[in-house]
Amino acid sequence: MDINYTPEELAFRDEVRAFLDEKLPKEIASKVKKNQHLGKEDTIRWQKILNEKGWMALHWPKEHGGTGWSPIQKHIFEEECAEYGAPTVLPFGVNMVAPVIIKFGTEEQKKTYLPSILNSDVWWCQGYSEPGAGSDLAGLKTKAVREGDHYVVNGQKTWTTLGQHADWIFCLVRTDPNAKKQEGISFLLIDMQTPGITVRPLITLDGEHEVNEVFFDDVKVPVENLVGEENKGWTCAKYLLTFERTGIAGVGQSKAALKHLKEVAGKVQQNGKPLIEDPLFRNRLADVEMELMALEMTNLRTVAAAQAGGVPGAESSFLKIMGTELRQEITDLFRRAAGPYAQPFLPETFEADYDGEMVGPDFANSVSTKYFNMRKLSIFGGSNEIQKNIIAKMILGL
């Protein structure tokens, strides 16, 4: 692979930079760079700006409103967005359920759901994990019983990210309790305003309300909200998860974070010298940079294969493992750079209108919360232990 950008790709990078300079709201970028709270309205505002430009759906076919970009263009765009402090596009609609609808949905479903996803008019969340079915997702117990022209859904989903804001949820449900684990599962689209749905917050280790548990009590869902065939939802689930795991790699975010970490380590003093000159810290920093370069190349190969018509396979498990471990390592190095200033927890400092005194250097106020929050990366989207099993089976043949 030629890792040098062509003149056309360099011109495209300049176009992306010009767009971000002009259109990315400065107050939103400031929040992202300072790890301050982003509201629902911030995310929607940015996504509507992207859609107005025609740059919202990177992974959709062009005939459905996608960009038609090459893998390198997508890579450049995501890298520049991370560098400029653009909010991460909420993945549940545009990058998760939409590709499933495009591949397995009916024409009516495409007409109904894709335009509102593209314009961020509808906020989606994911209903996969359950209390007894996380990494072993096929063990799910939420059931859907067909009654005439609708299903009746009963059960519970958990770790539902940003479900408190969601208008719709895409769910895996069991429609044949007598079938084998991976069989008898269906993929349903459910309006969150349907009677019988209850959302309860789960407060995470960093004190944030990011995830939820969702209960379904005799929830009626129209049969036309079934995507794909009944009892064949596991095919949709696997298709979606490969895109989720590839996205979790977060190459652009890691590169931006590593750049910031180097700047911090060049300013923080330890024993009268910049921290970056400490041999132990410098070695860990070098390890991260080398691993990140390898991850970037692997990510480009995977996206290129997908662009050629393939579906990301076991290699997405590599990306999930490598990417999440790198992001965790970077947060740990930030924590070590902050030293004792990483300990104070002042939630009010994460608000954009906070004008009080900071404890320690500016970068230190969010170090611990970021460190604790990133612990989840190696668990969600299929735990890294499960990913290693997938690699062992599908690549090594063990």
Side-chain angles (χ1 to χ4, degrees):
M1 178 183 291
D2 184 358
I3 62 173
N4 297 306
Y5 290 143
T6 65
E8 293 77 16
E9 289 162 350
L10 290 173
F12 174 74
R13 186 177 66 181
D14 290 339
E15 181 186 0
V16 172
R17 288 175 175 175
F19 167 75
L20 292 169
D21 278 328
E22 180 184 356
K23 295 295 185 178
L24 175 59
K26 299 297 185 289
E27 63 274 20
I28 292 179
S30 177
K31 287 182 181 181
V32 172
K33 290 183 177 182
K34 293 178 180 178
N35 290 314
Q36 293 175 331
H37 286 146
L38 280 177
K40 178 180 179 179
E41 62 282 358
D42 293 321
T43 299
I44 292 176
R45 180 184 174 190
W46 172 237
Q47 292 183 176
K48 284 183 176 291
I49 291 172
L50 288 176
N51 187 46
E52 185 179 347
K53 177 69 172 176
W55 287 2
M56 176 63 177
L58 274 61
H59 305 291
W60 292 20
K62 200 164 186 178
E63 61 267 27
H64 291 294
T67 59
W69 287 347
S70 70
I72 301 298
Q73 286 176 304
K74 294 175 186 176
H75 176 77
I76 289 171
F77 177 74
E78 291 172 347
E79 186 174 283
E80 294 301 324
C81 282
E83 173 68 21
Y84 273 74
T88 301
V89 169
L90 194 72
F92 307 110
V94 70
N95 293 335
M96 290 188 184
V97 71
V100 171
I101 292 172
I102 289 171
K103 186 169 181 66
F104 300 101
T106 64
E107 289 305 312
E108 185 62 31
Q109 287 172 337
K110 294 172 187 176
K111 291 178 183 177
T112 300
Y113 297 109
L114 295 183
S116 61
I117 291 174
L118 199 58
N119 198 43
S120 300
D121 295 327
V122 175
W123 187 292
W124 285 83
C125 65
Q126 180 180 25
Y128 269 30
S129 295
E130 299 182 5
S135 294
D136 181 23
L137 185 58
L140 64 91
K141 291 183 171 57
T142 296
K143 63 180 180 179
V145 179
R146 177 83 178 260
E147 293 186 1
D149 61 354
H150 62 266
Y151 292 97
V152 177
V153 180
N154 284 278
Q156 177 187 357
K157 297 296 179 178
T158 194
W159 310 126
T160 309
T161 302
L162 302 178
Q164 71 270 30
H165 300 312
D167 303 301
W168 282 73
I169 183 171
F170 56 92
C171 277
L172 290 181
V173 295
R174 190 163 295 284
T175 42
D176 185 353
N178 300 315
K180 294 179 181 179
K181 285 176 70 173
Q182 283 84 0
E183 299 173 6
I185 292 174
S186 298
F187 194 102
L188 286 183
L189 310 178
I190 304 176
D191 186 340
M192 289 289 280
Q193 300 304 313
T194 309
I197 295 180
T198 304
V199 180
R200 296 178 185 168
L202 293 170
I203 305 304
T204 50
L205 192 61
D206 59 350
E208 293 295 314
H209 177 195
E210 182 181 5
V211 293
N212 305 268
E213 49 187 353
V214 181
F215 297 88
F216 300 87
D217 297 298
D218 292 330
V219 175
K220 292 185 176 181
V221 181
V223 169
E224 57 263 30
N225 289 17
L226 171 71
V227 179
E229 298 179 46
E230 185 174 283
N231 300 324
K232 300 296 183 182
W234 191 246
T235 302
C236 299
K238 290 190 297 181
Y239 183 78
L240 184 151
L241 282 172
T242 55
F243 286 95
E244 179 186 18
R245 289 165 185 166
T246 303
I248 291 173
V251 175
Q253 292 94 327
S254 290
K255 290 182 76 171
L258 180 60
K259 179 182 177 181
H260 185 209
L261 177 59
K262 286 180 175 180
E263 293 171 354
V264 166
K267 296 175 182 177
V268 172
Q269 295 290 307
Q270 178 171 293
N271 298 324
K273 295 180 179 181
L275 179 61
I276 201 167
E277 295 181 14
D278 176 78
L280 294 178
F281 189 90
R282 186 176 60 219
N283 286 347
R284 287 183 64 177
L285 203 59
D287 285 342
V288 166
E289 188 153 22
M290 289 186 290
E291 290 289 343
L292 184 52
M293 291 174 66
L295 174 66
E296 185 176 13
M297 292 301 104
T298 304
N299 189 58
L300 284 171
R301 288 198 303 270
T302 302
V303 176
Q307 185 78 8
V311 175
E315 63 269 29
S316 65
S317 294
F318 274 118
L319 294 171
K320 203 274 180 175
I321 294 169
M322 293 171 62
T324 56
E325 289 180 352
L326 271 175
R327 292 171 75 180
Q328 289 175 340
E329 174 70 356
I330 290 171
T331 63
D332 187 39
L333 288 174
F334 266 114
R335 186 174 62 89
R336 292 179 180 276
Y341 291 116
Q343 289 185 318
F345 177 63
L346 303 172
E348 61 271 19
T349 64
F350 304 128
E351 303 299 337
D353 58 357
Y354 177 73
D355 60 358
E357 186 177 353
M358 304 294 288
V359 178
D362 288 346
F363 80 91
N365 72 307
S366 62
V367 162
S368 288
T369 54
K370 198 78 171 176
Y371 172 81
F372 287 128
N373 188 271
M374 291 296 103
R375 300 305 97 193
K376 70 187 180 187
L377 292 183
S378 51
I379 301 173
F380 74 59
S383 73
N384 285 10
E385 290 77 14
I386 294 294
Q387 303 311 316
K388 291 174 183 177
N389 286 344
I390 291 173
I391 293 168
K393 181 178 180 179
M394 296 184 65
I395 296 180
L396 302 178
L398 299 178

